[in-house]
Amino acid sequence: MSPKQQADPKRYGSAWSAIIQLVRDGHSWSGHERNRLLLNRGGAEFADVSSISGLDHGGDGRAMAMVDWDQDGDLDVWYRDRTAPRLRLMLNQHVPGEGSRDFLALRLEGTTSNRDAIGAVVEVVVDDASKRLVKSVRAGDLFLSQSSRRLHFGLGDAGKIQEIKVVWPGGKVEKYRGAEVGGTYLLKEGTGAAVEVTRTSRMVRLTDPPSKAYQSENARIILPAKIPLPPIGYRNALGKPQIIVGKGSPRLVMLWSASCEHCARNLEMLAKSADQLRAAGIDVVGLSVDGGDGISEAYNLVDSTKWPFEWGMIEPDAVDRIDEFQRALFDLTVPMAIPLTLLCDREGNVSVLYRGSLRVEEVLSDLKATEGANEDQLHALAPPFAGRWFTKPIDPAIALELMARQFEARLEEDSLFYLEAAMWRSGGGPKGVLGEELVQKHYTFARRYKAEVKPERAAAHFERALAIAPSARIYHDYGTMLASHGELIQAKALLKEALILEPNLKPTLGALALVNKLIAEGK
């Protein structure tokens, strides 16, 4: 980090966050560098055969490893991309000449040197000794990866192996005989004999048929951690402002539009399944994203489906929150699209996301599976395919803090919702690092809105900061703001609270004296 970056770490950190977000939005980290395969033409020239090899997928490649995975005598490739699918096995379909076995595979085992023979150098002499092939045993031979320690030699049309020479770690030289073209052999230090190893052929299915989930435009995602739904504001059918918060029962929240066919089918299906949903204790809220001329169409659709649940028009800032919620959940940014349905638990945590068409049976099954599930159980339910995690479930406090950090870039004020949740889930509480950060951010927003003469918004942040950690400074600023707007009785109470914490705080003593004078004068 340069001196200038050290002087302004916040800007430096913000720049990195912006770069990472660009990558998550689908931009290439390294310029869409597709995988390449170069074919040696027998000399110093190479031909680019990337396309015809099938290796040049569009993902940003990161690491690869070479191994004869299917044990058929040629090297296959495992490689990892930054983008999904993250891991691919590319089977080598090399077909040797008729009756030919054009390779030699060797596994080395040290006795006086290290057992894995790391550092050993092998020279294979073929035919009339005019051709010599050299390879070494390595650990970590490629970027972020380790290929098979078995050395694989492509022999082409060579007919006979004359000699194998090994320079073991430490410098001892040993010659081996008895190896033939097309075989796999163990070379053990100190024996001088190549012992043939029987290869077991592996049957590998090149392509697995995609599941129904991948064949469909619909998606169902069970979240691996409990993440609360951010506050969602809407205006109900009568135009009165409402807000969705956890209220003790599971809830389906569906975003829809009257111009969307899938939305209309979902509304109709949910309306017809009202008895099933209510019997399961599930409340439903339908939130239309229509505005302007689309509002009347939204009312018509609700009437035509005989919608039996709560519904309304979602506020634009609430749509932004749901969009950011999705951006924070997934490594690759998911475009906002409808219909989008969220299954929330009794505490207001989102447990399942549904994109596209809904099935009531699936919703009921998901509620049964996720209701009351702990972090380990949710972690196991999340993958859309069979398998086992090699990582542990994320700590709930860390998950909430990650949500807060994602919101900071675009919706900084809304990030405080998740930062507070993370504070309470962490061991530190209000006196910890997150608590101190949260109070400072509320105080900063309060002062900003105070300066902008927005007392109601400033008051909300002052009160939130004081609820977390009372402070004489915050009581003082809140009290003086109310006094400037004529709220003298409330201002007096706040200034007195500040003096309880710091009895000799001169600015507060002066402000309180002025407030008492104004009250006495009846102003």
Side-chain angles (χ1 to χ4, degrees), residues 33-91:
E33 293 179 339
R34 300 172 73 95
N35 295 312
R36 299 180 68 189
L37 179 64
L38 303 180
L39 177 67
N40 191 309
R41 298 177 61 184
E45 294 183 355
F46 289 82
D48 188 338
V49 294
S50 308
S51 179
I52 62 172
S53 71
L55 289 174
D56 70 334
H57 297 277
D60 281 344
R62 284 296 176 269
M64 62 178 290
M66 312 290 290
V67 58
D68 183 4
W69 188 256
D70 53 4
Q71 296 287 288
D72 66 349
D74 52 34
L75 288 177
D76 308 304
V77 181
W78 279 102
Y79 69 87
R80 182 184 182 278
D81 285 345
R82 185 192 62 79
T83 48
R86 305 296 289 272
L87 193 65
R88 296 178 188 261
L89 170 61
M90 305 300 292
L91 289 178

Side-chain angles (χ1 to χ4, degrees), residues 438-455:
L438 183 63
V439 170
Q440 183 57 45
K441 287 191 171 185
H442 274 299
Y443 182 50
T444 300
F445 275 111
R447 288 173 60 85
R448 180 189 302 175
Y449 288 127
K450 178 183 176 181
E452 294 174 359
V453 195
K454 297 178 180 178

Side-chain angles (χ1 to χ4, degrees), residues 343-357:
L343 176 60
C344 303
D345 65 16
R346 299 174 188 276
E347 299 171 351
N349 298 307
V350 179
S351 53
V352 190
L353 277 78
Y354 306 92
R355 299 197 191 102
S357 299

Side-chain angles (χ1 to χ4, degrees), residues 395-417:
D395 181 275
I398 293 176
L400 292 166
E401 186 180 353
L402 289 173
M403 294 292 292
R405 302 308 176 200
Q406 174 65 27
F407 269 72
E408 279 177 354
R410 292 203 311 161
L411 303 173
E412 187 179 6
E413 194 168 358
D414 292 309
S415 74
L416 304 186
F417 171 78

Side-chain angles (χ1 to χ4, degrees), residues 485-502:
H485 289 277
E487 304 288 340
L488 299 178
I489 300 301
Q490 297 94 320
K492 178 179 177 179
L494 291 167
L495 294 172
K496 290 176 71 173
E497 289 291 341
L499 292 172
I500 291 173
L501 295 175
E502 292 188 36

Side-chain angles (χ1 to χ4, degrees), residues 472 475-484 487-521 523:
Y475 275 123
H476 172 88
D477 283 0
Y478 189 12
T480 56
M481 183 192 76
L482 292 182
S484 69
E487 304 288 340
L488 299 178
I489 300 301
Q490 297 94 320
K492 178 179 177 179
L494 291 167
L495 294 172
K496 290 176 71 173
E497 289 291 341
L499 292 172
I500 291 173
L501 295 175
E502 292 188 36
N504 299 318
L505 195 60
K506 289 184 180 180
T508 306
L509 288 169
L512 182 58
L514 178 59
V515 167
N516 283 330
K517 180 182 177 181
L518 292 172
I519 291 174
E521 293 173 353
K523 294 184 178 180

Side-chain angles (χ1 to χ4, degrees), residues 379 387-392:
H379 195 60
R388 295 193 306 272
W389 285 95
F390 67 90
T391 57
K392 294 181 179 180

Side-chain angles (χ1 to χ4, degrees), residues 193-208:
V195 179
E196 189 167 10
V197 176
T198 302
R199 297 197 314 275
T200 302
S201 177
R202 291 179 180 173
M203 296 299 293
V204 180
R205 235 179 352 186
L206 290 179
T207 55
D208 292 322

